[in-house]
Each structure stands twice: as C-alpha cells, then as structure tokens.
Amino acid sequence: MSESQSATIFVLNGPNLNLLGTREPEIYGSATLDDIAGMLEDRARELGLEVDVRQSNHEGHLVDWLHEAQAVGAKAVLLNAGAFTHTSIALHDAIKAIRTPVIEVHLSNPHAREAFRHTSYVGMAAKATIAGFGAQSYVLALDGASRL
Ligand code: CA2
C-alpha cells in the first residue's frame, strides 16, 4: 500500500445523484454533487487526506470501485448508493468482501420516509451510517472516517 493511497478516501455515489441540486431541494438540499465534492476536498485538506469522488448510475461500477478501494489501499469508503441501498445484495456482498471500512451516507433520513426506504442492504454490511444532515452528512462521515 502506498502512503498516498492510505490517505485517500473514496466517495462513491449511486444512481441519479449526478442530478442532485436540480429537483426536490426540500428533501435533498440545493447543493450539487460538484458542490459536495468541493466541500469534501476542503475538509480533506484540513485533515491531511485526499478524496476521490465518483458517481455512477450502474450497480456494477459501484461494486468494481469497492473492490478497487481495497486493491489500492484506500483508508475508507463513503458510500451513498442511492436507491441501490434498498435493493442491492451485490453491494452488500461487495462491502462484506473487502476489509476497507465502508461508511453509508445519505442526504435524507430514509427511516423518516417511505417504508421501502427502511431496509438498507448497504447499512447491514457497513461500519457506520450517517443520514439526514443533507450535504453535511458527507462531511460528518469524512470526519468519522479520518478517525478510523
Ligand atoms: O438520501 C439519500 O442520500 C438517498 O440515498 C438518495 C436516493 C434515495 O433513493 C435514497 O432512498 C436516499 C435518491 C437519489 C436521488 O438523487 C436526486 C436526483 C435529483 C435531484 C435530487 C436528488
């Protein structure tokens, strides 16, 4: 594991999060994913870390990136799997298959929403969950990851 990768935190975002900031601001806030990436880069700099922020609408990309996080020796993964949170046994298995700690992140609080959002296959495998703080959920998760 190289020194630089051991100080890198992967921030993986799932389906539709590329459209963040364009609708439902009352649920998700008005920050775009680029805004969140900027917030994370600023905080990571203060913490002496680097973030690698990615988004995909494809489940397999997220599985591959979880494997890559371990392969390159990333310190942790922050994962907002979007709606795959509630459906994906493949993501659950991928999180279990790696030793890299994964922190589940959500902008909203899924438990305060529709019943179909109350099951999280990601959360069942993750080390921790931060939800309901809007864009700040990511920053809080980064602070937590920095202490691991
Ligand atoms: O609250 C979260 O972060 C969620 O992961 C967001 C997902 C939702 O399916 C989860 O239950 C909770 C939805 C992401 C949709 O992304 C947006 C796209 C356009 C505008 C606003 C949000």
Side-chain angles (χ1 to χ4, degrees):
M1 175 192 319
S2 74
E3 276 298 314
S4 62
Q5 288 293 344
S6 68
T8 298
I9 299 205
F10 278 30
V11 184
L12 306 183
N13 295 279
N16 299 308
L17 287 162
N18 53 313
L19 299 177
L20 201 58
T22 65
R23 65 171 172 85
E24 298 184 284
E26 66 285 359
I27 299 174
Y28 298 114
S30 53
T32 65
L33 197 54
D34 278 349
D35 294 334
I36 292 173
M39 291 163 62
L40 288 170
E41 282 157 14
D42 289 347
R43 184 67 184 134
R45 200 172 306 113
E46 291 170 359
L47 294 166
L49 296 167
E50 286 185 14
V51 286
D52 185 337
V53 183
R54 305 180 188 185
Q55 188 275 333
S56 177
N57 295 322
H58 304 277
E59 189 175 14
H61 289 167
L62 297 167
V63 170
D64 287 344
W65 291 341
L66 286 164
H67 297 175
E68 183 184 334
Q70 160 143 304
V72 303
K75 181 176 173 62
V77 176
L78 311 187
L79 174 61
N80 184 349
F84 290 149
T85 301
H86 316 299
T87 62
S88 179
I89 296 168
L91 284 175
H92 175 99
D93 287 347
I95 295 165
K96 293 272 219 184
I98 62 173
R99 287 180 302 280
T100 314
V102 175
I103 302 179
E104 178 186 31
V105 178
H106 295 289
L107 295 149
S108 66
N109 175 3
H111 292 285
R113 301 180 63 195
E114 304 94 323
F116 64 81
R117 298 185 202 275
H118 296 179
T119 297
S120 172
Y121 291 104
V122 167
M124 286 177 211
K127 181 169 184 63
T129 298
I130 308 257
F133 292 98
Q136 281 298 322
S137 290
Y138 286 82
V139 180
L140 292 166
L142 180 60
D143 281 340
S146 75
R147 291 169 168 78
L148 291 172

